[in-house]
């Protein structure tokens, strides 16, 4: 197997970890939203928080590094094709929402649950935090699916050179 195929394989593995973690976040957040068991809610938030600080960060870093190396090591380049630029923009969204947003929102959920307890589930701060967590998970999932589709279909072709 060539270096390019190894790098592409690693890139796909990291992207799959990102998608799997995002789906896990979705399942855990639905559990949080539909449960009244404060122990279960706190456990779900703690699991999401651990994932945000570990697999989300590792997969985002791995995907970015392998993506840049693939772009630089092939004819695709970093800015030659519109679909690659779109993936780069979506990657910025994924970085802001993933390791940063998810970490903050899950930590806030843990704090609200430990400070106030189960009663916090009916307070404005908790509902607002849960809303932003759902929005973040949805945007993360949409950006990841869009990146997969861009990688498969490679739309819009090569950028027109200026000059």
């Amino acid at each position: 197997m060539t270096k390019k195929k190894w790098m592409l394989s690693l890139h796909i593995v990291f992207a799959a970890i990102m998608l799997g973690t995002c789906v896990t976040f979705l399942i855990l957040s639905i559990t949080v939203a539909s449960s009244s068991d404060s122990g279960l809610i706190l456990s779900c938030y703690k699991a999401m928080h651990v994932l945000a600080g570990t697999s989300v960060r590792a997969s985002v870093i791995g995907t970015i590094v392998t993506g840049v190396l693939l772009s630089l090591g092939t004819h695709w380049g970093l800015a030659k094709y519109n679909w690659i630029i779109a993936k780069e923009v979506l990657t910025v969204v994924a970085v802001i929402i993933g390791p940063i947003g998810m970490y903050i929102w899950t930590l806030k959920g843990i704090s609200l649950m430990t400070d106030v307890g189960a009663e916090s589930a009916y307070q404005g701060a908790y509902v607002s935090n849960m809303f932003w967590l759902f929005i973040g998970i949805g945007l993360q999932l949409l950006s990841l699916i869009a990146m997969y589709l861009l990688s498969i279909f490679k739309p819009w072709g090569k950028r027109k050179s200026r000059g």
Side-chain angles (χ1 to χ4, degrees):
M1 216 153 64
T2 65
K3 289 180 186 178
K4 178 188 167 201
K5 289 198 185 237
W6 277 109
M7 194 60 60
L8 181 59
S9 298
L10 279 173
H11 188 68
I12 291 169
V13 166
F14 284 123
I17 293 168
M18 282 178 72
L19 183 61
T21 305
C22 189
V23 170
T24 303
F25 263 86
L26 182 62
I27 292 165
L28 290 171
S29 64
I30 290 170
T31 302
V32 165
S34 62
S35 178
S36 59
D37 179 352
S38 61
L40 177 61
I41 293 170
L42 185 58
S43 295
C44 288
Y45 270 122
K46 285 182 178 181
M48 287 188 278
H49 190 66
V50 168
L51 288 171
T54 56
S55 66
V56 172
R57 282 189 185 158
S59 62
V60 166
I61 292 167
T63 304
I64 290 171
V65 169
T66 57
V68 168
L69 291 174
L70 276 168
S71 290
L72 294 175
T74 63
H75 71 282
W76 297 111
L78 282 173
K80 291 180 184 177
Y81 292 84
N82 291 314
W83 66 273
I84 292 177
I85 294 169
K87 278 184 69 174
E88 291 164 356
V89 170
L90 289 169
T91 299
V92 170
V93 171
V95 167
I96 292 169
I97 294 171
I100 299 169
M102 299 299 183
Y103 188 85
I104 292 168
W105 293 318
T106 56
L107 183 60
K108 188 170 183 180
I110 291 168
S111 296
L112 289 168
M113 286 304 294
T114 53
D115 291 348
V116 183
E119 304 85 49
S120 70
Y122 303 105
Q123 293 182 355
Y126 181 83
V127 172
S128 174
N129 187 65
M130 193 67 217
F131 171 77
W132 286 110
L133 183 61
F134 269 122
I135 294 292
I137 292 167
L139 288 174
Q140 180 85 342
L141 196 54
L142 287 174
S143 69
L144 292 172
I145 290 169
M147 284 188 271
Y148 273 99
L149 293 174
L150 287 169
S151 296
I152 293 167
F153 294 107
K154 297 172 180 48
W156 310 311
K158 196 170 188 172
R159 290 182 64 209
K160 293 183 169 85
S161 60
R162 294 181 184 182

